[in-house]
């Protein structure tokens, strides 16, 4: 499962950070995930709940922030919002698009003590 390995990776990053900051408790972690990153949000939430067991993040509240997808049409230069890359351009119907926003997958912040 793709999302589980992402979740474990996020927990590794957060764990290293917490260690460096000498944190005893991590209250909250914010993760930014783009709608065009290929990650299934519900699956990632579920994977985080499982992956954080027996780690420093066991009691941490995870919030996943969705970054909307935005693409640029390579044919007519129109920019539009979309949640998948298989949407044709609403202006000209072309499928060739460049992703401007929505590929994000990163730890945005940790609240530690
Ligand atoms: Zn277009």
């Amino acid at each position: 499962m793709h999302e589980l390995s992402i979740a474990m990776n996020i927990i590794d990053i957060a764990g290293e950070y917490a260690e460096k900051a000498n944190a005893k408790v991590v209250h909250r972690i914010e993760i930014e995930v783009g709608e065009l990153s290929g990650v299934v949000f519900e699956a990632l939430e579920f994977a985080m709940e499982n992956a954080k067991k027996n780690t420093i993040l066991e009691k941490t509240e995870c919030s996943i922030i969705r970054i909307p997808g935005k693409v640029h049409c390579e044919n007519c230069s129109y920019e539009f919002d979309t949640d998948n890359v298989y949407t044709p351009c609403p202006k000209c119907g072309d499928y060739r698009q460049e992703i401007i926003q929505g590929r994000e997958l990163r730890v945005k912040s940790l609240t530690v003590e």
Side-chain angles (χ1 to χ4, degrees), residues 17-113:
Y17 178 87
E19 212 167 283
K20 270 186 209 153
N22 272 323
K24 290 181 192 72
V25 190
V26 181
H27 291 295
R28 188 179 156 90
I29 180 169
E30 286 186 325
I31 306 154
E32 281 187 334
V33 183
E35 282 184 340
L36 304 177
S37 63
V39 172
V40 180
F41 290 83
E42 293 72 21
L44 182 59
E45 273 174 2
F46 181 76
M48 284 297 295
E49 287 307 308
N50 280 293
K52 70 186 192 182
K53 280 178 192 149
N54 300 317
T55 72
I56 190 170
L57 301 189
E58 180 144 25
K59 298 207 160 58
T60 303
E61 180 200 336
C62 298
S63 69
I64 298 178
I65 301 160
R66 282 180 192 238
I67 309 286
K70 198 176 254 185
V71 298
H72 172 262
C73 174
E74 289 188 7
N75 184 50
C76 72
S77 297
Y78 185 64
E79 284 180 12
F80 58 99
D81 296 341
T82 180
D83 62 0
N84 75 77
V85 288
Y86 306 106
T87 314
C89 171
K91 285 253 160 142
C92 72
D94 204 288
Y95 282 88
R96 284 170 300 156
Q97 298 149 4
E98 187 195 345
I99 296 173
I100 302 168
Q101 177 189 283
R103 273 213 177 107
E104 295 78 358
L105 179 56
R106 62 176 171 239
V107 175
K108 188 184 176 226
S109 71
L110 282 182
T111 311
V112 299
E113 195 175 282

